[in-house]
């Protein structure tokens, strides 16, 4: 589903080669973790995989389409439907309820309001938060906010979930809940790429890759 071929990324500003000849194949339903020290290139990789940035050279095929040379507008359009982002900081809109946050990506896709609220309700139910639907993010615990963010990431039916340090700010119980939810999503057939500092979280994934100074290496399972 995702194929990276000899991806390099050089930031013009400081000539740093943040990714060096990165090749990676991710199949439908894979659960893959990416670990590496600070500055190793994890965010750069996430930005490229998530269609937030383009590589300097190399090819990125998403469902067979070469997306490495898309314009930023074309990337943005594809990103909205193909990628579900989950961040450390949740990035929920504070003035919207949990339900409205989950429904928001569907508004960008032109789904009518009734339908998007119904779908958002089903997604909140699926992450165990049906009873929190009317609450604002600040009225929820960190673990609950992350589950709302995961429901939002699923809303538009993305091809891949891209999670950037999703457990880093959570207490141990919320961390366990979040990882258990990823396990369940994986069992349901979702494709997940988990970027994490936490070796215990990384070990949950079926495939583990590490990144050192911009170079990727798959660890034996
Ligand atoms: P990580 O997420 O593993 O901490 P990054 O992908 O952020 O690593 O960074 C990899 C390298 O690229 C680092 O040397 C970093 O300083 C550099 N870098 C990251 N983003 C930029 C940018 N926007 N402009 C210039 N250099 C950058």
């Amino acid at each position: 589903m995702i194929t990276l071929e000899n991806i390099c990324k050089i930031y013009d500003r400081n000539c740093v080669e943040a990714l060096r000849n990165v090749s990676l194949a991710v199949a439908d339903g894979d659960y893959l973790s990416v670990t590496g020290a600070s500055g190793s290139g994890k965010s750069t990789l996430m930005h490229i995989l998530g269609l937030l940035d383009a590589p300097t050279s190399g090819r990125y095929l998403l469902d067979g389409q070469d997306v490495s040379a898309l314009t930023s507008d074309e990337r943005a359009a594809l990103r909205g439907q193909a990628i579900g982002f989950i961040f450390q900081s949740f990035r929920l809109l504070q003035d919207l309820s949990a339900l409205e946050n989950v429904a928001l990506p569907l508004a960008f896709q032109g789904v009518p309001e009734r339908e998007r609220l119904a779908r958002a309700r089903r997604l909140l139910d699926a992450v165990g938060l049906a009873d929190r639907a009317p609450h604002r993010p600040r009225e929820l615990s960190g673990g609950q906010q992350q589950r709302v963010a995961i429901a939002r990431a699923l809303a538009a039916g993305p091809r891949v979930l891209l999670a950037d340090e999703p457990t880093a700010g959570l207490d141990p119980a919320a961390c366990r809940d979040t990882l258990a939810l990823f396990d369940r999503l994986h069992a349901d057939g979702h494709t997940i790429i988990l970027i994490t500092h936490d070796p215990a979280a990384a070990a949950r994934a079926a495939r583990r890759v590490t990144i050192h100074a911009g170079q990727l290496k798959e660890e034996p399972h």
Side-chain angles (χ1 to χ4, degrees):
M1 192 237 311
I2 285 176
T3 307
L4 301 182
E5 291 173 358
N6 302 113
I7 293 283
C8 295
K9 178 69 184 180
I10 298 170
Y11 289 108
D12 292 334
R13 199 157 8 108
N14 51 4
C15 290
V16 166
E17 198 176 7
L19 293 177
R20 303 173 193 211
N21 269 321
V22 167
S23 295
L24 178 71
V26 181
D28 242 336
D30 268 356
Y31 182 8
L32 184 110
S33 65
V34 180
T35 49
S38 183
S40 58
K42 297 185 299 299
S43 305
T44 303
L45 179 65
M46 162 144 180
H47 286 153
I48 289 174
L49 285 170
L51 300 167
L52 292 159
D53 202 356
T56 308
S57 62
R59 287 212 310 164
Y60 175 5
L61 303 177
L62 180 58
D63 283 329
Q65 182 191 359
D66 189 349
V67 296
S68 11
L70 296 181
T71 65
S72 62
D73 283 351
E74 290 167 335
R75 267 204 311 275
L78 184 57
R79 184 165 68 230
Q81 62 188 63
I83 316 284
F85 288 99
I86 299 157
F87 301 99
Q88 175 178 352
S89 54
F90 322 131
R91 302 207 191 167
L92 298 173
L93 295 183
Q94 296 299 324
D95 293 334
L96 299 185
S97 68
L99 187 71
E100 290 163 338
N101 266 287
V102 176
L104 193 60
L106 297 170
F108 295 128
Q109 302 220 321
V111 177
E113 187 176 9
R114 243 179 108 86
E115 168 66 16
R116 57 179 196 256
L117 292 178
R119 270 206 244 170
R121 207 160 265 122
R122 284 198 294 276
L123 284 163
L124 275 183
D125 195 24
V127 299
L129 287 175
D131 59 335
R132 292 290 186 274
H135 290 267
R136 308 266 153 152
R138 77 179 70 83
E139 297 163 347
L140 303 173
S141 71
Q144 289 171 335
Q145 289 185 62
Q146 192 55 295
R147 278 187 281 153
V148 173
I150 292 169
R152 177 187 57 187
L154 291 166
R159 300 287 289 123
V160 60
L161 289 174
L162 213 47
D164 189 8
E165 301 283 0
T167 57
L170 301 178
D171 63 59
C175 191
R176 278 196 299 277
D177 285 352
T178 302
L179 293 174
L181 180 53
F182 283 144
D183 287 346
R184 196 147 51 79
L185 293 172
H186 176 224
D188 286 347
H190 290 281
T191 309
I192 306 171
I193 299 178
L194 168 65
I195 293 171
T196 181
H197 265 96
D198 177 3
R204 297 281 281 258
R207 291 177 61 195
R208 289 179 299 128
V209 303
T210 53
I211 181 163
H212 298 283
Q215 290 184 304
L216 216 63
K217 181 168 141 233
E218 182 141 6
E219 303 294 328
H221 202 62

